[in-house]
Amino acid sequence: MTEVQRRMAELSNTIYLAGEWVPSVGDRHDVIDPATTERASSYADATGEEVDRAVAAANEAQSIWWQMSALDRANALHEVASKMVERSPRTGECLTREMGKPFRESNWEGGAAASSFRYYAEIARSEAGRVAGPAIAGQLQMVLKEPLGVAVSIVPYNFPMLLAGWQAAAALAAGTAVIIKPSELTPVTLLMWMEAFEHLPRGLVQVLTGGAATGQALVSHPQTHAVAFTGSVRAAQHVAATAAERFKPTLIEASGNDAFIVMPSADIEIAARGAAFAAFLNCGQVCTSAERFYVHESVYEAFVARLAAAAAALRVGSGLEPIDIGPMASKRELLRVERIVARAVEQGARIETGGRRPPHRSTGWFYEPTVLRVDHSMEIMHGECFGPLAPVARVASLDEAIRCANDSDLGLGANIYTNDLAESARAVREIETGIVWVNTPLNDNDAIPFGGRKFTGSGRELGTEGLDQFRRSKMVMIAPDAEPDPEWFPYPDDDAFRT
Ligand code: NAD
């Protein structure tokens, strides 16, 4: 047993409440390591009473946090970032054991989340509103940005530290407290991640484990004030509906089914390598995974051959071994992906490579990176696969590619590989998504807002827009001297209505 496994056992069934890991009295569930199918950890469903205690602690901590100077808050957030980086190999091992991704990727998450804490630590102290040109001479008229209070952050299993980090960094920098509700598949990762937050006021950041009921209890609680949700469309709709009852501001980051377009001017070798990364990273369990490929007919065969070769060369195995692709995060997810492939084949798709569980792995929920020849009419192109699948359709023109890309209820990201400036410009302008990547799949930047359109959701994470998700505006007007206003009573008779 490693030191991290010992710590995972200690943290199992706890919640991080008011600055301490305390055992929850709620019902308990096992988390299964998807590479070994053995128990990795366990978690409890936080009870209603535990939710009440956490919400009270969060409100108390928030008022202490907001009374501190902006500089002290910034320093405390930089300390969070440093601790996160220092502990990243530990939380990374834990994450791999809980949901299977390669250690390189789970270790990366700690550093990537830390980067957003450093970014928000600085931008939040550089402005807290703005001063307007006064509408009344001599007055100070301004908008002050104030924290929303207590935010609920509900996160999925695929990038728990990165996604909770984007939301928590912005919320804390804005002066808002956060209660995080992790996925049922990665509860202990976020409990362990709390080691980086111990120096903050007790209760400012908390983790309450459980399923949809815990999430709903937090969202509907009268003393929580904002909701940030990342996950599936269905769950997002439930969360948004509950939040709407109290008009709580809601940030929704739901599913994607990103298109990946390849045009003849692209370097096909590089485009295929980029495509393999975009489709198979984290076993395809990325909200911005390339989910459907539209490749110009003149380079279709060359692209499919190269992508299939790249897919077949990927090493599939336990995330704690030197591999490229881990297992699917759960058996349910594996079975879902198998059903999608079976349905595609039924509809006429042809498997170029993959399409099965790897024969050399008898245990674990592994699936081979899969390339399929498809057309746009098939179900696999409409909806989110969220697995290691690359369905590739042939298109005759950029017009057709853009039309297919936009033929979707979801609108997170889109990729295009081209060396033609005019084609790049058209893709950027015409594709109906929150993100467009030209020749650089899946990258992000703390300083640029991330999010989607259509059923993918509303609101933005990262950038100054991300900070404003957790602040409200207050209109303030200050007259230096109290003087009578010419608009006051009594009204002059000259202004009265005349017939
Ligand atoms: P999920 O919707 O099943 O769960 C996400 C979280 O919501 C979990 O913590 C879950 O317990 C909670 N939840 C579920 N139902 C709820 C309800 N009714 N009320 C309150 N909370 C509820 O998603 P998942 O399977 O964990 O993650 C995969 C999904 O997340 C994919 O659709 C993916 O595209 C999406 N995702 C989106 C982004 C983005 O930025 N747009 C990023 C990552 C993942």
Side-chain angles (χ1 to χ4, degrees), residues 153-159 163 166-167 181-186 210-217 219 229-240 242 252-257 285-289 291 332-333 336 384 386 410 412 435 450-452 456-457 461:
S153 167
I154 299 180
V155 284
Y157 67 82
N158 60 342
F159 288 90
L163 298 171
W166 285 357
Q167 297 178 352
K181 210 298 284 168
S183 158
E184 297 89 319
L185 299 181
T186 55
T214 306
Q216 288 289 330
V219 173
F229 174 87
T230 315
S232 61
V233 172
R234 228 180 135 64
Q237 288 169 323
H238 288 146
V239 165
T242 305
I252 297 289
E253 295 284 0
S255 313
N257 69 338
Q285 301 164 116
V286 184
C287 52
T288 51
S289 285
E291 295 261 337
R332 193 194 63 183
E333 290 297 292
R336 195 180 49 75
E384 188 186 46
F386 220 60
L410 302 169
L412 184 52
I435 306 165
F450 177 103
T456 295
E461 298 175 297

Side-chain angles (χ1 to χ4, degrees), residues 288-323:
T288 51
S289 285
E291 295 261 337
R292 45 202 182 107
F293 292 78
Y294 300 105
V295 179
H296 193 275
E297 56 194 8
S298 65
V299 290
Y300 184 83
E301 291 302 331
F303 178 82
V304 168
R306 283 175 175 78
L307 178 58
L314 295 171
R315 297 160 301 168
V316 178
S318 158
L320 297 176
E321 295 165 6
I323 48 93

Side-chain angles (χ1 to χ4, degrees), residues 25-216:
V25 300
D27 292 345
R28 298 181 170 191
H29 312 270
D30 286 344
V31 177
I32 302 299
D33 179 336
T36 62
T37 69
E38 284 164 13
R39 196 177 81 97
S41 62
S42 55
Y43 72 91
D45 294 326
T47 63
E49 196 262 338
E50 288 163 350
V51 167
D52 285 342
R53 278 165 59 202
V55 171
N59 278 283
E60 229 169 273
Q62 191 274 329
S63 73
I64 296 170
W65 180 241
W66 188 235
Q67 281 165 37
M68 287 165 54
S69 76
L71 181 59
D72 287 344
R73 279 196 297 273
N75 287 336
L77 294 180
H78 280 298
E79 192 178 334
V80 169
S82 302
K83 288 181 175 170
M84 228 174 251
V85 171
E86 194 183 297
R87 286 162 171 72
S88 188
R90 283 163 49 73
T91 48
E93 179 184 332
C94 177
L95 176 55
T96 295
R97 290 188 185 282
E98 287 199 313
M99 62 69 73
K101 67 167 67 176
F103 175 73
R104 175 191 158 91
E105 294 172 22
S106 50
N107 186 23
W108 168 86
E109 268 196 51
S115 168
S116 62
F117 276 81
R118 294 204 184 284
Y119 169 73
Y120 279 120
E122 290 308 313
I123 67 160
R125 74 188 176 102
S126 83
E127 62 85 13
R130 68 175 193 277
V131 177
I136 300 173
Q139 293 197 358
L140 182 59
Q141 301 189 338
M142 58 192 169
V143 48
L144 282 186
K145 294 293 175 81
E146 295 189 329
L148 290 179
V150 175
V152 178
S153 167
I154 299 180
V155 284
Y157 67 82
N158 60 342
F159 288 90
M161 289 180 278
L162 182 74
L163 298 171
W166 285 357
Q167 297 178 352
L172 295 176
T176 288
V178 194
I179 304 176
I180 299 169
K181 210 298 284 168
S183 158
E184 297 89 319
L185 299 181
T186 55
V188 172
T189 300
L190 289 185
L191 286 165
M192 194 179 288
W193 193 55
M194 288 298 104
E195 292 170 357
F197 296 82
E198 276 188 285
H199 59 283
L200 299 180
R202 296 155 75 87
L204 188 67
V205 182
Q206 301 176 93
V207 172
L208 291 190
T209 55
T214 306
Q216 288 289 330

Side-chain angles (χ1 to χ4, degrees), residues 393-406:
R394 194 186 285 268
V395 289
S397 62
L398 182 61
D399 283 335
E400 185 182 354
I402 292 177
R403 208 166 43 245
C404 291
N406 287 341

